[in-house]
């Protein structure tokens, strides 16, 4: 892969990334003189020639990239499955990338997609991503991005999300109606749009029901499984234990089940648990798990549909659009009303 | 995508696919005359020019394809994750394809990978795949294939599997030692290598322990989830119910849990259950599920490692090699000894 980026070239020449990109693509919008300057700089800096230069000119690599922050996660797998199914119908190919929740990986992968390898990108941000230069660069170079689930509000494009605020509000009210007064919220990251919306929904429901909880009831769980397990176990063994846990993502609910078992805390008698989850085995768990289930497959399919629509129209820019699909709260035994 | 395949061209010209492929790649092994004949036929038949002709000549699309028969399956996701992680280290890109357990899809996808889009393929066959022409064609056209899990014995290449026979033998003995005498085996497909090895392991263990069971104790479950659920429920409600179920794949164990609940059959008291599975929630199920857990991540990583080794050496043919990684039997409550 090229070590010199479009951004490097643009900086050297003091022109926009878009100009560099168009010059390299031999666009009619660029003067012969500018094109020559760009080509010369590209040669001198050792900008790697496009492996798929031919396809770039006509947007027909017929390939898109799909970036997810985790692969072994039911939500993302179902979303990939939805996108893949739409891609197969349209004869598109999907490159898949795991960013492992690391901003640096996301930046590096995105940095290498601008050379004609793909016509467009579907992605969900990492929990570390708080800057969007790499994404803006890619879009400026002519490769559109559609976001799903974890989106960048600041970037104008299509964004497929679920009703995170309302779902978290309803989930929290569900716990309150089932007798909970001291609800902890397990958060994944402060920089994630979905995490913030879910927290807001949780706080708004507490507020509506006049429940004043200390800020420490929002517990950041951004580590690995072992670290999260320890943190949740400490929470459950503290002098004042919460009577419910709202897990913002599936893996934190599973850590809660394991930690509760280790701490001798009974679900739902001592602790009620609810979470955002697409776990197929939720009804078979001990006890069965109350979930807010996102339309993951549909979100992936919708993201692909929007992207292909624009690619096929050869429209250069995707209009800003928020597509919000509804999640479903499925009550099960983990939040069952109990006598104590 | 091109509707005319290399095979069509070869048939028309009465030469081998390998000759056509080499001619199109401008190989020195092909005479100028033959090359001209092939190019002419390609033009006449409308063989679609390679979108990545440049990369084909030098094997540097730096892209591989990964074909799996199911995406929403923990085994395959972990295998993809393993392959993806090795690919990221080596700066390779992964195209992902879901064949949906359909031979026709597999054939169509494979038929479109020979044009330089990828340097190599990692795959697990569909449960319908019993013919391998499409795979042989691809290999002849210069694109190597590495198999994992569901392999084609007949094709000489590297194959990564787990010890299916031994694992199934041990799993069946585990059930027998825990008091089971009438063990049903839920099979996915007669044409699958792994299914057959697992059945053989099961039958060999029955044989060793002098258990003579009717052939109907091997139950084919090749339908969708609803169909499998019905079939298993009928099995559990029959006059003579088996005292154990060995599910050859994870989804059949989950169907068994659902069917047992519907039929009022208690696990493990009335029915013991074991299965091949990479389910992360197996310890949290009600009851916790005894699994034979395959080293899925390692299998995917190993397949990618072998493939990249050959691609980087520019060796045209992968040597026949069977790499067998060990699975692990993890006893849990679904096969716990009970008093009745």
């Amino acid at each position: 892969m090229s070590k010199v980026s479009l951004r490097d070239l643009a900086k050297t020449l003091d022109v926009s990334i878009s100009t560099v990109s168009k010059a390299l693509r031999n666009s009619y919008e660029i003067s012969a003189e500018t094109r020559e300057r760009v080509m010369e700089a590209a040669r001198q800096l050792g900008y790697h020639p496009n492996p798929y230069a031919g396809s770039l000119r006509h947007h027909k690599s017929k390939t898109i990239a799909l970036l997810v922050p985790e692969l072994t996660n039911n939500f993302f797998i179902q979303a990939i499955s939805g996108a893949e199914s739409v891609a197969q119908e349209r004869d598109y190919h999907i490159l898949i990338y795991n960013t492992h929740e690391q901003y640096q990986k996301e930046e590096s992968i995105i940095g290498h997609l601008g050379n004609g390898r793909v016509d467009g990108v579907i992605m969900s941000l990492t929990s570390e991503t708080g800057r969007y230069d790499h994404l803006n660069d890619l879009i400026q170079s002519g490769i559109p991005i559609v976001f799903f689930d974890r989106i960048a509000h600041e970037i104008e494009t299509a964004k497929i999300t679920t009703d995170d605020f309302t779902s978290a509000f309803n989930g929290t009210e569900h716990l309150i109606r089932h007798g909970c007064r001291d609800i902890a919220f397990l958060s994944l990251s402060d920089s994630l749009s979905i995490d913030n919306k879910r927290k807001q929904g949780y706080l708004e429901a507490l507020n509506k029901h006049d429940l004043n909880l200390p800020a420490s009831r929002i517990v950041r769980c951004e580590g690995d499984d072992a670290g999260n397990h320890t943190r949740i176990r400490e929470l459950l063994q503290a002098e004042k234990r919460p009577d419910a846990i709202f897990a913002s993502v599936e893996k934190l609910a599973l850590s809660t089940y394991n930690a509760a078992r280790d701490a001798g805390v009974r679900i739902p008698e001592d602790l009620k648990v609810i979470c955002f989850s697409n776990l197929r085995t939720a009804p078979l768990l001990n006890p069965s798990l109350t979930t807010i289930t996102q339309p993951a497959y549909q979100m992936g399919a919708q993201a692909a549909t929007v992207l292909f629509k624009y690619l096929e129209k050869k429209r250069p820019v995707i209009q800003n659009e928020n597509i919000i699909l509804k999640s479903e709260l499925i009550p099960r035994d983990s939040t069952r009303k109990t006598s104590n």
Side-chain angles (χ1 to χ4, degrees), chain A:
Chain A
M1 290 183 194
S2 167
K3 298 293 170 204
V4 179
S5 66
L6 284 182
R7 171 165 280 254
D8 296 332
L9 275 179
K11 219 169 165 185
T12 305
L13 292 163
D14 197 21
V15 297
S16 74
I17 289 170
S18 164
T19 299
V20 172
S21 168
K22 283 176 184 163
L24 291 171
R25 276 186 281 155
N26 211 5
S27 163
Y28 66 91
E29 298 173 56
I30 304 297
S31 71
E33 188 192 356
T34 304
R35 180 155 56 243
E36 200 35 57
R37 271 185 67 214
V38 171
M39 299 306 268
E40 181 55 32
R43 272 189 295 273
Q44 284 183 2
L45 290 178
Y47 179 78
H48 203 287
N50 303 337
Y52 304 128
S55 53
L56 179 60
R57 273 198 296 279
H58 309 291
H59 258 331
K60 43 179 205 182
S61 75
K62 282 286 225 177
T63 304
I64 62 166
L66 213 162
L67 276 71
V68 294
E70 269 194 293
L71 262 178
T72 50
N73 169 308
N74 292 291
F75 171 78
F76 289 116
I77 288 311
Q78 289 174 28
I80 290 171
S81 199
E84 204 271 348
S85 135
V86 174
Q88 249 185 38
E89 278 171 27
R90 310 283 185 97
D91 284 345
Y92 269 86
H93 303 257
I94 291 193
L95 285 166
I96 197 144
Y97 299 93
N98 185 355
T99 51
H100 294 275
E101 298 280 18
Q102 292 169 33
Y103 169 73
Q104 183 273 328
K105 283 221 160 137
E106 180 182 286
E107 192 191 22
S108 160
I109 292 164
I110 287 288
H112 291 106
L113 292 178
N115 60 359
R117 187 175 283 281
V118 300
D119 299 342
V121 172
I122 295 174
M123 71 183 294
S124 203
L125 301 172
T126 81
S127 55
E128 294 180 354
T129 307
R131 303 172 44 199
Y132 308 126
D133 290 351
H134 56 310
L135 306 176
N136 283 318
D137 287 358
L138 189 69
I139 292 171
Q140 276 200 49
S141 82
I143 310 291
I145 301 178
V146 170
F147 293 101
F148 75 99
D149 196 49
R150 303 173 174 196
I151 66 175
H153 283 295
E154 291 83 342
I155 296 182
E156 303 220 326
T157 183
K159 298 149 197 166
I160 324 292
T161 55
T162 182
D163 52 347
D164 289 294
F165 175 89
T166 309
S167 297
F169 181 89
N170 293 341
T172 309
E173 272 211 315
H174 170 83
L175 291 169
I176 295 169
R177 278 200 311 274
H178 286 218
C180 304
R181 290 292 170 271
D182 186 2
I183 303 165
F185 183 90
L186 306 186
S187 149
L188 192 63
S189 159
D190 279 347
S191 57
L192 275 182
S193 53
I194 53 164
D195 205 280
N196 285 316
K197 289 211 168 163
R198 289 172 188 180
K199 256 180 284 190
Q200 283 163 21
Y202 155 80
L203 291 170
E204 187 65 27
L206 295 184
N207 194 38
K208 178 182 163 191
H209 292 270
D210 294 322
L211 293 176
N212 283 310
L213 299 180
S216 60
R217 276 310 187 222
I218 293 179
V219 181
R220 276 279 283 282
C221 296
E222 53 191 337
D224 57 10
D225 284 353
N228 292 335
H229 181 273
T230 306
R231 185 155 305 134
I232 299 167
R233 191 173 168 160
E234 282 167 6
L235 181 70
L236 298 181
Q237 291 179 324
E239 206 173 334
K240 192 166 161 11
R241 183 178 66 213
D243 57 18
I245 280 184
F246 193 136
S248 60
V249 293
E250 179 177 296
K251 69 175 182 185
L252 296 178
L254 300 182
S255 292
T256 300
Y257 266 52
N258 284 318
R261 174 180 294 185
D262 291 354
V265 169
R266 297 166 306 162
I267 305 172
E269 293 81 356
D270 305 329
L271 180 78
K272 303 202 195 310
V273 180
I274 189 171
C275 77
F276 279 86
S277 168
N278 287 73
L279 198 62
R280 195 163 46 153
T281 53
L284 299 176
L285 296 191
N286 184 18
S288 62
L289 175 64
T290 297
T291 57
I292 296 164
T293 299
Q294 295 176 266
Y297 184 93
Q298 291 84 342
M299 288 169 78
Q302 180 81 59
T305 303
V306 171
L307 181 60
F308 294 144
K309 194 182 75 182
Y310 277 83
L311 291 178
E312 279 156 20
K313 279 187 184 168
K314 299 193 168 54
R315 296 268 289 272
V317 178
I318 297 185
Q319 275 186 324
N320 201 40
E321 185 182 12
N322 284 298
I323 301 171
I324 300 171
L325 306 180
K326 264 196 175 13
S327 287
E328 186 187 6
L329 196 161
I330 306 172
R332 298 198 184 89
D333 279 351
S334 67
T335 56
R336 184 169 41 84
K337 268 190 185 162
T338 46
S339 47
N340 53 338

